[in-house]
Amino acid sequence: MGGGVPREKSLGQPRMEEERKGAMRVETQAVAAAPGKRREQRDSVVIRFAGDSGDGMQLTGMQFTTESALAGNDIGTLPDFPAEIRAPAGTLAGVSGFQLNFSSLEVYTPGDSPDVLVAMNPAALKVNIGDLKPGGILLADRDGFDAGNLKKAGYAGNPLEDGSLGQVQVFVVDMTGMTLKVLEDLKLSNKVASRCKNFFALGVCSWLYSRPIETTLKWIQDKFKKTPELVEANARVLKAGYHFGETTEMFAVQYEVKPARISPGTYRNVTGNTALSLGLLAAANKAGLPLFLGSYPITPASDILHELAQYKNFGVYTFQAEDEIAGVCSALGASFGGVIGVTTSSGPGIALKQEAINLAVMVELPLVICNIQRGGPSTGLPTKTEQADLYQAVFGRNSDSPLPVLAAATPTDCFTTAYEAVRIAIKYMTPVILLSDGYLANGAEPWSIPRFEELPAIPVHFRTEAEGFFPYLRDPETLARPWVKPGTPGLEHRIGGIEKEDVTGNISYSPANHELMTHARAQKLAAVAQDIPPTSIRGDHAGDLLVVGWGSTYGSIAAAVDEVRARGKRVSQIHLRYLNPLPPDLGGILRRFKTVLVPEMNMGQLLTILRAMYLVDAVGLNKIQGQPFKISEIAGRILRLLEG
Amino acid sequence: MGGGVPREKSLGQPRMEEERKGAMRVETQAVAAAPGKRREQRDSVVIRFAGDSGDGMQLTGMQFTTESALAGNDIGTLPDFPAEIRAPAGTLAGVSGFQLNFSSLEVYTPGDSPDVLVAMNPAALKVNIGDLKPGGILLADRDGFDAGNLKKAGYAGNPLEDGSLGQVQVFVVDMTGMTLKVLEDLKLSNKVASRCKNFFALGVCSWLYSRPIETTLKWIQDKFKKTPELVEANARVLKAGYHFGETTEMFAVQYEVKPARISPGTYRNVTGNTALSLGLLAAANKAGLPLFLGSYPITPASDILHELAQYKNFGVYTFQAEDEIAGVCSALGASFGGVIGVTTSSGPGIALKQEAINLAVMVELPLVICNIQRGGPSTGLPTKTEQADLYQAVFGRNSDSPLPVLAAATPTDCFTTAYEAVRIAIKYMTPVILLSDGYLANGAEPWSIPRFEELPAIPVHFRTEAEGFFPYLRDPETLARPWVKPGTPGLEHRIGGIEKEDVTGNISYSPANHELMTHARAQKLAAVAQDIPPTSIRGDHAGDLLVVGWGSTYGSIAAAVDEVRARGKRVSQIHLRYLNPLPPDLGGILRRFKTVLVPEMNMGQLLTILRAMYLVDAVGLNKIQGQPFKISEIAGRILRLLEG
Amino acid sequence: MSDAAVATAAPKLTRKDFVSDQDVRWCPGCGDYSILAQVQKVMPELGLSREKFVFISGIGCSSRFPYYMNTYGFHSIHGRAAAVASGLKISRPDLSVWVVTGDGDGLSIGGNHLIHALRRNVGLKILLFNNRIYGLTKGQYSPTSELGKVTKSTPAGSVDYPFNPIAVAMGVDATFVARGVDVEAKLLQDLLRRAYEHPGGTFIEILQNCNIFNDGVWETLTDKATKADTVLLLEHGKPLIFGKNRDKGIKLGSDSRLQVVTLGNGTQEGDILVHDETNRPLAYMLAHLETPTPIGVFHATIRPTYEEAMSKQLEAARQKLGPGDVNALFKRGETWVVR
Amino acid sequence: MSDAAVATAAPKLTRKDFVSDQDVRWCPGCGDYSILAQVQKVMPELGLSREKFVFISGIGCSSRFPYYMNTYGFHSIHGRAAAVASGLKISRPDLSVWVVTGDGDGLSIGGNHLIHALRRNVGLKILLFNNRIYGLTKGQYSPTSELGKVTKSTPAGSVDYPFNPIAVAMGVDATFVARGVDVEAKLLQDLLRRAYEHPGGTFIEILQNCNIFNDGVWETLTDKATKADTVLLLEHGKPLIFGKNRDKGIKLGSDSRLQVVTLGNGTQEGDILVHDETNRPLAYMLAHLETPTPIGVFHATIRPTYEEAMSKQLEAARQKLGPGDVNALFKRGETWVVR
Ligand SMILES: Cc1ncc(C[n+]2csc(CCOP(=O)(O)OP(=O)(O)O)c2C)c(N)n1
Ligand SMILES: Cc1ncc(C[n+]2csc(CCOP(=O)(O)OP(=O)(O)O)c2C)c(N)n1
Ligand code: SF4
Ligand code: SF4
Ligand SMILES: [Mg+2]
Ligand SMILES: [Mg+2]
């Protein structure tokens, strides 16, 4: 999921600073091979840390990610939280996982199946072992596999010992025991001390993949600075794990994953929700406007509220409203006041907002609605991912109610898409829906940090001239109506949800006017379409099969397409950021391919739209499991279609 | 809009009692031609009564409708209310109109443009004169055209006198003056007395079209029985108007519209909202269930609440909730209790209900959601009609959330469709959306009253056997899960909005189960599709052009298709009651026609769905004026398509 | 900070400056006309220039109000005025934001937004026109309609025990709670002025006659013949005395309940309770008094407003962290450089 | 009619009969466990058979409750439990319908349904678990969180003045209003029994500890060392006395405000206010008392329930018009016959 040119381009974002793949040098220390060990090269490694939710697996995963990024690898991550806040320790429901794909090549996804599984207890093993690659490495904490935990996970015997695991390299390590031993003299309670065991696991893995642990040590110092005994404890355990790897005879091989070819720049890891928050903030700042977020907490959108609430010194107002309706209404009220109003939620909350979004369509004020989709319908699978709110976004309001719909493709693309959403909202005076999802929201990847000065301009014109002012006198090009800040003398006017008379904005029940205004609202979308950059195609511009995607499936599709292209197949990919309106050149592109495949984590929503728009007999590949596509699932389907 | 077979058939409702066109005899008195007057026959007459909202035009129109029905005509009506409760008297905003089409032939619509316009004041004239047929009759109340009223309507001179009306037969009658004179001795206040003038107009028109006034006299007696002086006054004025027509030399011709060939039966006039209420009630009674309506008032749906609130002795609970969300939630709560839950609203209110409707999709309980559509988006045109909530019904919820969507085609068809909606909801344990609109809701037509005993059965099975009970163990044919009344011993269970495990209904976060259940919900729709009767085609089964419609456009399309077929064109019509799922035979039918035309009072919503489903290059005819199609608009488009 | 304090020096305005060019579309005789007239009369006297006023409403007859005010206005959707207005006021505390709502709009569908706005003390000036009926949708009962009321949706009489709007506001700790009457012009003007000056959110229930669907619902309180005996004017610091002969008053019983007493017969003016706007329990008790019906200011107290506290947080953050450097924010956390 | 009256003769039940087969998924140490235990303990004692109980909830940690009760249950959507339950109770008055909600579910998104259900006096037994935080969404502040509270969504501290749930219920004229504490098992059991017996809607705020996101928020009220001085147990007909030495009490000041006084020094037990559940203003005043914090029944009064009144209307219509003849209804109004 690195920030390479092809992907940025494929998303049609030429406005963002150009990045170029070039020679690279990562500022990091090289780690010498451990004495007496073989060192092998690997292109890519997929590792999954799994344990009880109390075991700190998310933290372990994140730190290993940072180490890998600093080692110059391209990376992609996938956290997997349990649905319960604190499910009983040791149960299947309480298992928490974090998967990382780190590579010397370009990374598109967190990887289909792990090469390495770290399992801190039997439940973690049971939930995850099925995914481990044949011949993969299993690193288990022996102490976690006690009778109680085995029973909670529903194991009759101990799978680490009874040979039931099959084709897997099993490394059983006394992680808890060694952790406790290392900390013996610190007089920590047993509970506190054994909580450090995740750092032992991290230490072992860091050694195994030749990662430097200095940054983690620094991070420990920072993170626990208020409790120095924990700094000491965690640091000791981390080093102990590392040295265990180095000295034990268990491991004969140490692996190395060389740095990837990554465009020069300054990087950091961001999750989709952080990137989205930054995109909104940057756009508001570029436009010179305060930002107002009216929101109500909901998984997996809440983190945007948490993030933006920290930006107060940037002129960001966050309002945790009493419900989703108040969230969007307050944002619209702020927009009326000349502020950029934003509201965030997930599917069920967006459903509640639709009546007010429709008001925004009618009063033609800028407003950005972010839908961080999750598994549905109804409460559904709140902590799982899905991309099934496209219908709701495009069609989900009463009457003909057109508005632009954009979707982000990767965690970092959330930045770009949020920025673009704000730009369109302001330029065209319209609400804009931005679709992200749980996978992007929580997934992280390296972000090539842009310079604020180089971001595209977002001009804002607040009308102040009373002469010739009419609330619905439109800009001839964008069809935007004027934006006026209350407080501007002489421009007092009234807006509302009843049909407006063209130009004057007065209430009008005239049949002809209603038709005119309905067309005007539709025409505004046509104007937005003119603003969409040419669709970029990964692969040839014509061929046997075109894969059309949107949203978080980007990585899996790109990797699958590369894979089948490597086998000489005439397959290309386009990935849509603009879902409403669709890019004007899309119909032409579709016709240049014999078969069009639309993989979606839903029952075929983009598929419906493409078929209706272009009468193209596209076929769907649909996965509704609350989980992203595996590369192999898409590649397999492509190959079967090419054969069939 | 009479209840002829072809239409009933075309809507695919073979379950309803069969009606047959046959010889007919209406029990009504013949009226002899007035002496010294010519009597001319007319096939059809369209008359529009227009005046200030205080002038009683709705009442006048309704009474004339009743007289015409009793005279054996087929009829179609269209009321047109002002948006304000009481706009200032005499203003354009305050004009209220009522149009009636009565005929000796089958009537499909209230008529494109009136043959006769009754205008009680200048504002009414101004708003309506443009619609009058060339050479049509204008009947105006001279007294209403005083200087004040002329000014309020924005007339410089008096159009009745300055010859500005062009090709129109103008009859100016001192209606108010004569009314006051007739009532002189009754000592009514001037205000009260002059309020009777609408009965003068009704009297004149009754004479002009040879309608007996006895029923109206009876009706007056009933309606005003608490104020006998009003019985006397209104009756006198009605007769005075009638006699004025007879004796004045102004009218040389009296018209007669012979009875229509109408299927035998007992008839009454019903509006769509009344028919819908009766359909719900009848279905609940047939199923042997109490009915619970949870609703919040909104135009044009409120009358269903008002109507059902009168059915208390039938075991109907009406709950005016605090908002739309509570309306649907309370209905769902009632359904959980083993009652048939219903909720009613219009577009903006339906938007608010979607989150809860989605819960109904998940918990699989019967629920009927009636959307009486109105002009949108947002508050839009609350008193105008539109059919633009099809997208919202089919696609408007988060995630993949399939449910059956049905639409009524005519006011009386609201009965049949509501009945069918309840039947499907119960049989398949699913929420069902029923689409009607403002035009159907307020429009009236004769209804051939069915016998309750002959309505299709609606079997209900409440499970009581504890043995083998699982909340999500489905019926293999319908995929319905069992319905259990709380209070049943041994079947205690829990349902909810989180994804359910197949069979057990326990919470499940399993990826495979989610996919399975998503498919199960989709399969349920496929099961409903098997229950849809063969689509009936008006006209030939193949040809040059097929008009596909849904909802309240039925009448205009039927009339237009008949018109072009009469010219020898190979044009047919199908009209869909089932919009989701679509009839299984639809694709095949579409392919048998060279061109498919989809007229809709929206920007092309069914069009989108048909194109996506069948990849048919159908074309739309779209009118977004808050008003129904004229026959000529559709006929014209058909002819142009056949030429082009 | 009082909204009055943000007043800018403005040219002298008159009533006409606040009359918009739209035709007023209420039924002739509707109580809304009088309310509109009082608002248009008071606004120019407040010393704030016209463009600083914003009127926000939901849907209902009452909610047509903004169209008739020549100020900024937003006729939003049913029940949501307080939410829309909250967003505006929080981000634009310089504006004087008025909310016009009805008993249906504000207490039925919009009840939640109303109570949350009041508890937060967002500086909105809320006018709730209470005609105890749904006017715009042609006469269904509302959450303030009497038990047993026969309307279109309750042909057998309502079985909904009604809200007491003043008690609701007191239950959510609103900082300014008052009741006016459409035809009591002077009182209404006073209340509007008080609301404007109150540094925070205000709630005024205005008893309003809907002469089409609920004519005379407040008649005993507005009929000249009866009102002296049915209405109790609340005045801070003055004893709670009423009656044609000002011979009746309110006493606090030892059981902490209010009693209506007649002066004379051993009861003196000194026994009569003195109205104290700052006394929350007293306001709650008065809210439940039906005969006489109190009008005027039930309760007024001062508490920081939401927008003030929020603005202070933004200011404090700016003081502490500087005005916000986007490039620095971009680089927060662990970064690395690829060359 | 009390719900108790609809009890059918049932075999003797035990706590275990009310334990479902689902694993309880709250965090270890969560206050919800104790509440569940008390409910499961009290239910079998009420004399109503198990299948007559229905538990309806919204979304939140607290709203998981129905899954753990071996009764009928409905885990609905966020904030809507009271609305779902109203429809059930109105059409099925024979059932004993319990609503479990949280401070977010019931007072934030669901505030409107809650206050309407209470004013209507729909016979729902509402349990609001107040942990002053959003538990399920991992720790944002709620409408009952203290001013200044630092949470994920308020890193600089909350600026929302909180609701007082008891005062809210009193503001909407609820007929039964009480407060319990998760760890006060006996009191909770008493309140559950009282709620069951109360003929109408009941509202119990249960102070609950969320040991993950808001640990110790009620600590001063539950800590054995302090609680005698911080908690005031309300008992009808008994003086409002508290304190380790039962030497403190509540007095009604002449200004109709409550005062905390110490016995002795001229203050006698006779000066102390005697609790009267039927006294609405007193309950309102007690709601605003913070130290000590009252627990127990604040207010109980009897008013016809919505479902009773509605059922009576249906019954009256049946009496008057007969059981409903659909064919006759079809033919209402003007009809004509075509042969
Ligand atoms: C979402 C939605 N639901 C329902 C309506 C219909 N509606 C409009 S106004 C109104 C009630 C108005 O009552 P009230 O607020 O008391 O205002 P009044 O007309 O009496 O002044 C209703 C139910 C609507 N416009 N939107
Ligand atoms: C429509 C909707 N909005 C938001 C959410 C997310 N959500 C679930 S529970 C909850 C708050 C729960 O707080 P509370 O009611 O206090 O329950 P607790 O978890 O503290 O017991 C929120 C915001 C949701 N599920 N649905
Ligand atoms: S219906 Fe009633 S409230 Fe509405 S404008 Fe008319 S009189 Fe006023
Ligand atoms: S998060 Fe808090 S409220 Fe939720 S289960 Fe855990 S401890 Fe209980
Ligand atoms: Mg009202
Ligand atoms: Mg909580």
Side-chain angles (χ1 to χ4, degrees), chain A residues 296-299 324 348-349 352 374 379, chain B residues 355, chain D residues 32 59-63 78 101-106 109 129 131 133-137 142 208:
Chain A
Y296 187 73
I298 188 168
T299 305
E324 284 84 355
L352 290 168
R374 64 188 212 181
T379 307
Chain B
E355 191 210 1
Chain D
D32 292 353
I59 301 284
C61 294
S62 31
S63 290
H78 195 34
T101 182
D103 45 326
D105 191 66
I109 188 169
F129 296 11
N131 56 13
I133 200 81
Y134 287 0
L136 190 70
T137 47
S142 90
Q208 175 241 327

Side-chain angles (χ1 to χ4, degrees), chain A residues 183-257:
Chain A
L183 301 178
E184 234 164 18
D185 60 320
L186 284 187
K187 305 222 169 77
L188 297 172
S189 75
N190 223 25
K191 194 174 152 196
V192 169
S194 72
R195 277 236 191 98
C196 301
K197 65 174 176 284
N198 58 325
F199 282 99
F200 195 96
L202 181 58
V204 175
C205 295
S206 299
W207 176 82
L208 198 57
Y209 291 100
S210 320
R211 311 268 88 144
I213 57 172
E214 282 69 21
T215 35
T216 302
L217 288 170
K218 226 175 71 202
W219 177 88
I220 289 173
Q221 227 153 29
D222 232 56
K223 169 92 181 175
F224 300 99
K225 62 170 168 270
K226 283 189 191 141
T227 35
E229 67 271 25
L230 284 186
V231 172
E232 174 64 18
N234 287 322
R236 271 198 207 176
V237 174
L238 176 68
K239 288 187 210 156
Y242 193 91
H243 295 139
F244 172 80
E246 203 163 38
T247 49
T248 183
E249 302 198 347
M250 209 180 252
F251 304 118
V253 190
Q254 189 184 24
Y255 300 93
E256 191 184 22
V257 178

Side-chain angles (χ1 to χ4, degrees), chain A residues 81-89 91 93 296-299 302-303 305-307 309-310 312 318-325 352 378-379, chain D residues 24-28 59 61 64 76-78 80 104-105 108-110 134-138 140-142 151-156 160 212-213:
Chain A
F81 312 109
E84 274 79 29
I85 306 289
R86 292 279 185 283
T91 61
Y296 187 73
I298 188 168
T299 305
S302 309
D303 281 338
L305 167 62
H306 306 160
E307 183 78 24
Q310 297 171 22
K312 293 200 195 304
T318 53
F319 176 58
Q320 182 178 312
E322 55 272 26
D323 64 11
E324 284 84 355
I325 301 176
L352 290 168
S378 194
T379 307
Chain D
V24 182
R25 294 270 172 95
W26 290 309
C27 308
I59 301 284
C61 294
R64 289 292 183 99
S76 74
I77 44 177
H78 195 34
R80 316 303 172 188
D105 191 66
S108 196
I109 188 169
Y134 287 0
L136 190 70
T137 47
K138 306 196 178 171
Q140 299 81 15
Y141 80 106
S142 90
T151 70
K152 279 193 187 147
S153 56
T154 50
D160 272 30
I212 300 298
F213 296 111

Side-chain angles (χ1 to χ4, degrees), chain A residues 173-184:
Chain A
V173 180
D174 286 325
M175 297 200 227
T176 310
M178 284 194 264
T179 297
L180 293 178
K181 197 174 287 161
V182 171
L183 301 178
E184 234 164 18

